[in-house]
Amino acid sequence: MSRPILFVDFDGTICTDRYWHSLSGEEQVRLQQALFVDNKPLAHAWMRGEKTSEEINQFLADTCSLDYGELWNTFVTDCKSFALENGVYGAIGEVRTRYRTVLVTDNMDCFGRFIVPSIKLDKVFDHIWNSSDHGFLKNDYDGRAYTEACHELGADISECVLIDDREHSIDTFAQLGGQTYLTGSPKDTVLYLNHILNRSEAL
């Protein structure tokens, strides 16, 4: 067997930035409501790679009476300005000496197109699993994302770890036999990463 895998979630776990985050609070609320509340199946279709970022921004421009060009430019600029919590880069780098690191996220096509290259996530993690690249969410099919990654990388899931801020993800991974940390914030995640490193060094 190769090194065990440390799976790390993105949103709420190592980053708290939101799409369209430079817009005013009122405009952000309108967009979030229109997509993630009133049209949640559309948001999930985006996360499953069934819709492109261009199509979603066109939908929101039409729904919220906004100029598509301006909304799109804001969207791309904001994606490129995402930032990780202080300490994440260093902590992941240390943990990589003991674990293979896999960023596992339910996210959109824009994640790989704009966010990953902008903040060099491919340099931080050994592998990136994004739902829109695979056509299903990470907890779909009883956590198929985790089991497939373990199979491909030759890891025993009982020795693998997941850090995530969603109880559903934690429950899914635990049922597969993996070790879990339910984080409350990116700051907590950095503490967990340091704990995992210190624990593995003590073994």
Side-chain angles (χ1 to χ4, degrees):
M1 286 288 181
S2 64
R3 284 174 295 162
I5 300 169
L6 172 65
F7 293 96
V8 182
D9 173 51
F10 183 74
D11 180 46
T13 299
I14 59 174
C15 180
T16 58
D17 288 328
R18 291 284 180 267
Y19 295 126
W20 306 285
H21 59 253
S22 69
L23 295 177
S24 68
E26 181 179 342
E27 288 179 309
Q28 280 192 58
V29 169
R30 287 177 62 207
L31 293 178
Q32 297 290 331
Q33 177 74 31
L35 180 59
F36 295 106
V37 179
D38 297 341
N39 291 279
K40 198 169 185 179
L42 181 61
H44 283 173
W46 190 18
M47 287 189 280
R48 289 189 171 99
E50 298 164 5
K51 295 290 182 180
T52 66
S53 294
E54 285 85 351
E55 290 173 317
I56 294 298
N57 276 270
Q58 186 65 67
F59 166 79
L60 290 172
D62 294 341
T63 302
C64 299
S65 300
L66 299 171
D67 179 79
Y68 170 77
E70 292 182 4
L71 184 64
W72 174 253
N73 288 336
T74 296
F75 175 77
V76 173
T77 299
D78 287 356
C79 282
K80 292 180 177 180
S81 68
F82 270 50
L84 298 186
E85 175 69 27
N86 288 335
V88 167
Y89 285 105
I92 291 291
E94 293 289 334
V95 171
R96 286 175 82 177
T97 63
R98 304 277 175 165
Y99 291 82
R100 288 198 183 214
T101 54
V102 176
L103 180 66
V104 56
T105 178
D106 287 337
N107 228 302
M108 297 78 167
D109 63 315
C110 53
F111 188 75
R113 292 166 63 186
F114 307 125
I115 297 174
V116 169
S118 178
I119 57 179
K120 298 179 173 55
L121 287 172
D122 55 334
K123 305 299 183 185
V124 182
F125 291 90
D126 295 314
H127 302 277
I128 296 175
W129 191 97
N130 179 9
S131 60
S132 65
D133 296 330
H134 295 269
F136 59 93
L137 305 183
K138 62 187 181 183
N139 296 310
D140 286 351
Y141 310 116
D142 300 319
R144 178 174 155 191
Y146 310 116
T147 55
E148 285 190 348
C150 287
H151 176 72
E152 291 173 7
L153 298 176
D156 182 344
I157 199 166
S158 67
E159 298 178 352
C160 298
V161 181
L162 169 68
I163 305 178
D164 203 298
D165 69 327
R166 292 179 58 207
E167 289 188 7
H168 179 43
S169 299
I170 293 296
D171 290 344
T172 299
F173 196 75
Q175 289 172 6
L176 293 170
Q179 305 165 43
T180 62
Y181 290 85
L182 178 63
T183 186
S185 70
K187 291 185 185 300
D188 289 344
T189 298
V190 173
L191 296 176
Y192 285 139
L193 288 168
N194 290 326
H195 172 75
I196 290 167
L197 177 63
N198 293 333
R199 184 191 67 178
S200 64
E201 288 179 342
L203 295 178

